[in-house]
Amino acid sequence: MLLRLRLLLLSLGGSGLLLLVLCLGAQNLNERHALNLGFGRTAPLPSGFLVGVSLVIGVLSGGSLAAVLMPTREP
């Protein structure tokens, strides 16, 4: 149980740090694109920021899935 919690917290912390660095690095980018979501459009965002957010979401979902699906140890 403690190993699962540690893995989940490590995944949350790592993705939070990646998102922080991504937000700091994407402030001065000039070329911005908007995404068409079908029901509306997003605000114009830099393309590197969009790719980075998808990377952060992948790290977060992969780490949390690994923590949830980890086999339990029977004493």
Side-chain angles (χ1 to χ4, degrees):
M1 182 68 182
L2 186 61
L3 185 61
R4 286 184 185 195
L5 182 63
R6 189 170 47 186
L7 185 61
L8 186 62
L9 289 177
L10 185 66
S11 173
L12 286 172
S15 61
L17 284 174
L18 280 174
L19 188 62
L20 177 70
V21 170
L22 179 67
C23 288
L24 289 176
Q27 287 182 359
N28 294 328
L29 297 176
N30 294 329
E31 189 176 335
R32 298 175 184 266
H33 302 283
L35 292 179
N36 186 7
L37 299 175
F39 56 85
R41 295 181 63 88
T42 64
L45 298 169
S47 58
F49 183 76
L50 296 174
V51 171
V53 166
S54 68
L55 178 75
V56 169
I57 290 172
V59 167
L60 181 63
S61 64
S64 60
L65 186 68
V68 169
L69 294 179
M70 185 180 290
T72 59
R73 293 185 186 175
E74 294 295 327

